[in-house]
Amino acid sequence: MAKQIEGVYEAVLACAKKEFLEKGYTDASLRTIAQEAGTSTSSIYTRFKDKEGLFESIVGPAAAQMKEMDRRAIEEMGVPSLELMEHAAQEVQEAEMGQYTSRHQMELLDFIYEHFEEFYLLINGAGGSRFASFLDELVQIEVDYTYKYMEVIGCETVKSGLVTEEFLHIIVTAYFNGMFEVVRHRMPKADAVKYIRLLNRYHMQGFSTVFYPEESPEIGP
């Protein structure tokens, strides 16, 4: 096996990130990346298998960690054991849901800004790669949790069939699209924090109409 030259791996990653940020996944050139990194395309194939493998090396860790953060937050809300909770405990859980959700979203925002370029690529430059579905996968985690939560607490809108998983998918997709607008527009973090806090308040107020339709006469069967 040929000995790999020290520093080439890091140089390829740095040049690849620059190329992907400028051109997106589909139009990025492995030949350009190799030339900028001072190596050959064959060495890229040796280290990363193909262009998607190289892209994954850049965005994969951040994408996986964000999904894991979302799953962990859901578990901390007690989803696996909701069915075993006393009614009073469920009422406390429900009352605290908005506050917890807001705190969790701000933690996600901090993580996004710690890995801003990776998330910019995931949102703006992943077309043509398997990471093009990143946002949909994130949405599905939230939909699965929220629907299960509403079933467990006996939400009337779910029992009646007014609220379905498909409808929740629309709501959650709208929220995450709004959240990632701060990335699409490269918004300074201070502005992003302000807007995401407003978005959380807007989202939770709107979501209350899904939980409590009797307080919102405009919602009907």
Side-chain angles (χ1 to χ4, degrees), residues 112-113 116 119-125 135 173-187:
I112 288 169
Y113 273 79
F116 192 87
F119 283 104
Y120 187 87
L121 285 173
L122 284 165
I123 299 304
N124 279 5
L135 192 56
T173 298
Y175 177 80
F176 273 109
N177 272 316
M179 181 177 180
F180 279 107
E181 278 294 289
V182 302
V183 175
R184 292 186 179 98
H185 295 289
R186 294 186 174 275
M187 193 175 292

Side-chain angles (χ1 to χ4, degrees), residues 18-37:
K18 179 175 179 289
E19 177 78 356
F20 287 131
L21 284 168
E22 290 177 355
K23 300 178 181 177
Y25 174 81
T26 300
D27 294 332
S29 165
L30 287 184
R31 180 174 297 179
T32 299
I33 293 168
Q35 289 174 347
E36 293 291 328

Side-chain angles (χ1 to χ4, degrees), residues 20 25 28 34 50 79 81 92 99 110-111 121 124 135 139-140 149 174 177 192 195 197 201-202 204 213 215:
F20 287 131
Y25 174 81
D50 53 22
V79 174
S81 59
V92 171
Q99 182 180 355
D110 285 340
F111 182 71
L121 285 173
N124 279 5
L135 192 56
V139 166
Q140 195 59 50
Y149 178 86
N177 272 316
Y195 290 133
R197 283 177 176 161
R201 290 167 59 189
Y202 176 85
M204 291 310 299
E215 298 175 12

Side-chain angles (χ1 to χ4, degrees), residues 34-175:
Q35 289 174 347
E36 293 291 328
T39 189
S40 63
T41 55
S42 62
S43 73
I44 293 178
Y45 284 114
T46 297
R47 290 175 170 84
F48 301 99
K49 187 178 178 182
D50 53 22
K51 184 162 74 169
E52 186 159 74
L54 178 55
F55 191 71
E56 180 175 3
S57 295
I58 296 170
V59 303
Q65 190 169 342
M66 171 164 268
K67 287 187 283 188
E68 180 57 30
M69 287 173 69
D70 219 23
R71 292 189 185 99
R72 187 167 62 246
I74 289 168
E75 290 174 2
E76 289 172 1
M77 283 285 286
V79 174
S81 59
L82 275 174
E83 295 89 339
L84 305 177
M85 289 184 176
E86 297 294 333
H87 180 68
Q90 292 180 2
E91 288 180 342
V92 171
Q93 185 97 353
E94 187 173 355
E96 293 177 349
M97 181 183 178
Q99 182 180 355
Y100 186 91
T101 300
S102 178
R103 184 171 67 250
H104 171 56
Q105 294 308 122
M106 296 310 295
E107 290 171 353
L108 289 183
L109 186 67
D110 285 340
F111 182 71
I112 288 169
Y113 273 79
E114 289 169 7
H115 305 274
F116 192 87
E117 290 184 335
E118 287 80 358
F119 283 104
Y120 187 87
L121 285 173
L122 284 165
I123 299 304
N124 279 5
S129 78
R130 71 177 184 83
F131 288 94
S133 63
F134 165 72
L135 192 56
D136 287 335
E137 292 170 9
L138 202 59
V139 166
Q140 195 59 50
I141 293 171
E142 292 284 340
V143 170
D144 290 344
Y145 156 66
T146 304
Y147 192 76
K148 180 178 180 181
Y149 178 86
M150 294 176 75
E151 282 185 317
V152 168
I153 65 172
C155 187
E156 289 297 327
T157 53
V158 168
K159 290 195 291 185
S160 70
L162 176 61
V163 171
T164 63
E165 290 182 79
E166 289 81 4
F167 180 65
L168 289 179
H169 195 278
I170 294 172
I171 295 173
V172 178
T173 298
Y175 177 80

